[in-house]
Amino acid sequence: MSAIESVLQERRVFPPPAAMTASASVPGMDAYLALVAEAERDYEGFWARLARETLTWKTPFTKVLDESNAPFYTWFEDGELNASYNSLDRHVEAGNGERVAVIFEADDGAVTPVTYSDLLGRVCRFANALKKRGIKKGDRVVIYMPMSIEGIVAMQACARIGATHSVVFGGFSSKSLNERLVDVGATALVTSDEQMRGGKALPLKSIADEALAMGGCEAVKSVIVYRRTGGKVAWDEGRDLWMHEVVANEPDTCVPEWVGAEHPLFILYTSGSTGKPKGVQHSTGGFLLWAAQTMKWTFDWKPTDIFWCTADIGWITGHSYITYGPLAMGGTQVVFEGVPTYPNAGRFWDMIARHKVNVFYTAPTAIRSLIKAAEADAKVHPKSYDLSSLRILGTVGEPINPEAWVWYHENVGGARCPIVDTWWQTETGGHMITPLPGATPLVPGSCTLPLPGITAAIVDETGQDVPNGQGGILVVKRPWPSMIRTIWGDPERFKKSYYPEELGGKLYLAGDGSVRDKETGYFTIMGRIDDVLNVSGHRLGTMEIESALVANPLVAEAAVVGRPDDTTGEAVVAFVVLKRARPQGDEAVKLANELRAWVGKEIGPIAKPKDIRFGENLPKTRSGKIMRRLLRSLAKGEAITQDVSTLENPAILEQLGESA
Ligand code: PRX
């Protein structure tokens, strides 16, 4: 049975615990339905109420939604606010300055708590230092940092002065970093000498140096370096500055730059089905509203909670549920530098026990890999730790198979914690379809129902609604505040990618396939319907990996597809035609390893193909189109049932069936 079939057959229902419902922000299904009805009755009034209650505005907005330039929607446009003020100052002003904002745990286990007052002071000092370097409102600052307090400080400092940050995940290569620096037009880069992961020091500054040397980003005048390890780095005297030196004499106050609600808070690159990664532009007001509001609803946030989201700040999950959402709510959160398997695969459970974490949010891939480790060694089994502090569990980034869901529920959550399986995307800014812990009866493998105000639906190829029980294309019918505003520098691509004419031009196309249950209307996500792969919850475009492969001088042609994988959800399989004779045996293994390393250098280690198959050709139709469906079957090792009579050379199917 495939993973999707097992999700669709899963019928067990887990009702919310009565005690949770009693104290929840959305206490039961009736309360949920009342919010849904409120949004239906008065869509703009509903969003305006949340925006007034959840955020602090310098200048109150008078306009809510403007659809006159659709699909370039705007929200709360004439309102003014500052994301850093909302994340820090307002809690200090309310007398909560001594509350711990971040409990930072380093790779080696060292723990550093940081209060709201401390964090505000550090953000102000760095904001002042950025201003001294001439960085101002509207400038773009790229952040290429490890998981650290300093990474959060850098993001918040940009927000404070109205500079737009663009965080690049520390696992990306110099080439990927260069492309993003160029595309976003950065004037400054914040990085670190090295990062520590799993006991190993990995370079960042030297990769950043390489990226800058590739050219096209001469506008970067300042490179500010956080000293994490003290490892040796090359230094450009006119350009490079140590973070600790630039903040040393700066005051710990800095008046926030009040910006319009539509001011771009950040640009975050993500993979699409075609071409280079897209710079997803998010607003200040709408984004921050939803990051905070979903903390309240999805995670039923309470002032005494210890929250822990294991994502990296290089991804949207780290933006919404580390840097902004928890801080905007004035919450206390754990921030972790390392990896779940170091010093052993009990690290997450040990940290939950030591920090008494109440709400834990991670990716299905991590759960699946920790299941394997726990089954092999009782010492790292969650049952060997005191996880009684946990109240709510969450997952994000990819479908969770019911087996992993049930294991997580029983072994980590002690069969008492609801699991919120949150469906959303870089483009949506925050949760879209998710259970609410005090309201929604859970079905393993289903992300259940849309949040109030979110008009998710399933349609066919022409944009018509399909009945429950029938699969189709997942769309969102009405604009919502935290949605993507545009693709940086490419508004046409924004329109084409997300509001395609084929669907009538008014529906937001998520790019996922989905089906709703006949009785409950619950959504189940069936994976991407475009050429985007999801490997360990990381989004990768097949075209990006193909372009990286064909850039290698040995490669004539390449096609990349995904294959279901027990641990990583999906794995990358590459079909490659070389300019020389098809390699076999040891030579094929050697060349496959070379190509893997090449892709690692071109994009980053996350994009390395797990499996490489060499052929003399690729299977194509008469018109020259690569038969991807056939490649997917070959990748899975399935018998070929498709019509292959049009293939020029059917023998290549046998060749492409063999892994190097
Ligand atoms: O395919 C869906 C999958 O991840 C994609 C979005 O990836 P990204 O922009 O990198 O954001 C990931 C973190 C929000 C979606 O189009 N996805 C995300 N969450 C889920 C999911 N698939 C199934 N279930 C989920 N809960």
Side-chain angles (χ1 to χ4, degrees):
M1 190 163 41
S2 77
I4 282 299
E5 280 162 354
S6 68
V7 170
L8 297 177
Q9 287 184 11
E10 178 66 57
R11 309 292 319 170
R12 266 174 295 179
V13 178
F14 296 75
M20 177 129 354
T21 301
S23 67
S25 60
V26 183
M29 261 334 229
D30 288 347
Y32 164 75
L33 292 172
L35 286 164
V36 173
E38 181 193 344
E40 267 171 21
R41 223 170 27 244
D42 176 9
Y43 195 63
E44 292 192 33
F46 166 81
W47 287 112
R49 174 175 76 76
L50 298 183
R52 287 189 190 109
E53 286 173 7
T54 304
L55 300 181
T56 306
W57 296 83
K58 176 72 175 172
T59 312
F61 54 88
T62 62
K63 285 194 280 183
V64 183
L65 167 64
D66 184 348
E67 300 185 86
S68 58
N69 191 25
F72 301 93
Y73 303 102
T74 64
W75 286 89
F76 319 119
E77 199 177 1
D78 60 352
E80 285 186 311
L81 76 169
N82 180 283
S84 152
Y85 176 87
N86 273 273
S87 306
L88 303 166
D89 308 56
R90 65 169 175 165
H91 311 307
V92 176
E93 287 167 13
N96 293 321
E98 291 317 301
R99 188 186 284 174
V100 173
V102 172
I103 303 166
F104 178 70
E105 180 157 323
D107 192 53
D108 66 4
V111 174
T112 313
V114 185
T115 65
Y116 272 91
S117 295
D118 286 344
L119 194 58
L120 173 60
R122 291 172 71 159
V123 168
C124 287
R125 277 198 294 276
F126 194 55
N128 289 327
L130 289 174
K131 283 207 279 195
K132 265 217 182 116
R133 305 272 127 25
I135 296 151
K136 55 184 189 311
K137 180 179 171 190
D139 287 350
R140 273 85 56 210
V141 175
V142 167
I143 297 175
Y144 184 62
M145 298 273 275
M147 284 299 290
S148 52
I149 300 162
E150 287 71 9
I152 297 171
V153 165
M155 292 168 81
Q156 285 279 349
C158 287
R160 191 156 194 96
I161 64 171
T164 299
H165 59 69
S166 186
V167 184
V168 177
F169 173 59
F172 275 121
S173 67
S174 53
K175 184 143 183 275
S176 297
L177 176 60
N178 171 269
E179 281 167 6
R180 287 156 174 79
L181 285 162
V182 173
D183 191 81
V184 85
T187 54
L189 170 66
V190 188
T191 187
S192 170
D193 52 357
E194 294 180 310
Q195 57 179 335
M196 288 302 298
R197 288 176 69 80
K200 285 198 221 81
L202 305 166
L204 280 181
K205 170 71 163 66
S206 64
I207 298 175
D209 288 338
E210 263 175 51
L212 291 162
M214 285 175 186
C217 39
E218 290 69 26
V220 177
K221 298 286 182 247
S222 312
V223 175
I224 304 176
V225 187
Y226 157 51
R227 188 153 75 194
R228 167 62 186 90
T229 62
K232 210 168 141 33
V233 289
W235 207 251
D236 178 333
E237 280 304 332
R239 185 196 71 186
D240 298 350
L241 303 149
W242 285 112
M243 192 177 198
H244 60 272
E245 288 179 2
V246 295
V247 299
N249 295 317
E250 292 300 335
D252 57 7
T253 56
C254 168
V255 177
E257 178 84 34
W258 305 106
V259 299
E262 282 297 313
H263 182 72
L265 179 62
F266 65 88
I267 294 159
L268 183 61
Y269 284 82
T270 190
S271 294
S273 52
T274 55
K276 55 183 182 135
K278 332 183 238 203
V280 173
Q281 180 180 319
H282 275 289
S283 71
T284 302
F287 170 81
L288 196 65
L289 164 61
W290 207 224
Q293 189 67 45
T294 47
M295 284 298 297
K296 251 193 241 181
W297 281 347
T298 312
F299 297 125
D300 192 32
W301 179 82
K302 304 267 186 278
T304 51
D305 271 352
I306 311 275
F307 176 78
W308 182 19
C309 165
T310 68
D312 191 285
I313 50 167
W315 308 114
I316 189 68
T317 310
H319 284 59
S320 308
Y321 301 108
I322 295 176
T323 303
Y324 291 107
L327 295 180
M329 293 309 297
T332 300
Q333 66 176 320
V334 173
V335 173
F336 178 42
E337 178 182 46
V339 297
T341 47
Y342 178 81
N344 60 47
R347 182 70 180 262
F348 276 1
W349 323 134
D350 180 47
M351 284 181 63
I352 292 171
R354 277 190 289 110
H355 299 299
K356 303 207 167 18
V357 170
N358 306 111
V359 181
F360 178 66
Y361 191 37
T362 196
T365 290
I367 299 165
R368 286 191 294 261
S369 70
L370 296 177
I371 293 176
K372 283 193 185 153
E375 277 166 5
D377 177 3
K379 280 205 296 296
V380 298
H381 196 286
K383 292 221 155 136
S384 305
Y385 299 81
D386 175 10
L387 305 183
S388 58
S389 58
L390 286 171
R391 203 161 61 83
I392 295 168
L393 301 174
T395 72
V396 57
E398 34 169 348
I400 181 161
N401 46 311
E403 299 73 23
W405 192 103
V406 168
W407 186 90
Y408 191 36
H409 187 254
E410 285 175 1
N411 296 290
V412 183
R416 60 170 206 285
C417 305
I419 298 178
V420 288
D421 173 356
T422 59
W423 176 84
W424 58 296
Q425 310 177 292
T426 305
E427 294 87 341
T428 69
H431 302 153
M432 298 293 278
I433 309 181
T434 175
L436 297 173
T440 321
L442 307 172
V443 173
S446 168
C447 53
T448 74
L449 297 169
L451 284 168
I454 300 299
T455 50
I458 301 180
V459 299
D460 64 17
E461 274 91 23
T462 64
Q464 298 304 307
D465 285 313
V466 301
N468 286 356
Q470 193 174 314
I473 300 171
L474 181 58
V475 297
V476 185
K477 291 195 163 174
R478 301 194 68 174
W480 68 102
S482 68
M483 67 186 294
I484 173 176
R485 291 306 192 262
T486 188
I487 293 176
W488 178 257
D490 202 347
E492 271 313 303
R493 190 172 174 202
F494 165 75
K495 259 201 206 171
K496 272 212 206 103
S497 309
Y498 301 109
Y499 285 91
E501 282 306 324
E502 296 84 340
L503 298 182
K506 288 203 157 63
L507 301 174
Y508 169 83
L509 173 68
D512 281 314
S514 182
V515 61
R516 299 186 73 162
D517 183 82
K518 271 201 183 121
E519 280 102 58
T520 57
Y522 278 14
F523 287 75
T524 293
I525 305 296
M526 304 204 292
R528 301 287 305 192
I529 52 169
D530 52 9
D531 291 322
V532 170
L533 305 183
N534 192 326
V535 179
S536 304
H538 300 319
R539 203 162 135 179
L540 295 164
T542 51
M543 287 262 296
E544 261 176 283
I545 308 175
E546 287 166 8
S547 310
L549 283 165
V550 295
N552 184 292
L554 293 173
V555 176
E557 239 186 322
V560 165
V561 299
R563 171 181 74 199
D565 185 281
D566 279 352
T567 307
T568 58
E570 246 182 327
V572 177
V573 182
F575 296 87
V576 175
V577 182
L578 296 181
K579 288 178 188 158
R580 56 162 97 160
R582 172 175 178 259
Q584 296 190 42
D586 288 349
E587 199 204 347
V589 173
K590 185 173 147 269
L591 284 173
N593 285 335
E594 254 177 67
L595 291 180
R596 271 189 204 107
W598 173 269
V599 172
K601 273 294 247 185
E602 287 281 301
I603 304 176
I606 51 173
K608 283 185 187 177
K610 180 159 184 187
D611 189 353
I612 295 188
R613 317 269 180 99
F614 292 106
E616 283 160 17
N617 208 336
L618 296 176
K620 291 182 188 149
T621 60
R622 282 225 174 83
S623 59
K625 246 181 102 159
I626 294 174
M627 298 169 79
R628 286 180 179 276
R629 209 179 279 199
L630 201 61
L631 292 180
R632 278 188 211 111
S633 300
L634 285 171
K636 283 194 239 171
E638 283 174 1
I640 302 296
T641 52
Q642 292 96 330
D643 178 11
V644 291
S645 56
T646 55
L647 274 186
E648 273 170 43
N649 176 8
I652 59 165
L653 294 184
E654 211 167 296
Q655 295 176 359
L656 294 172
E658 275 174 38
S659 299

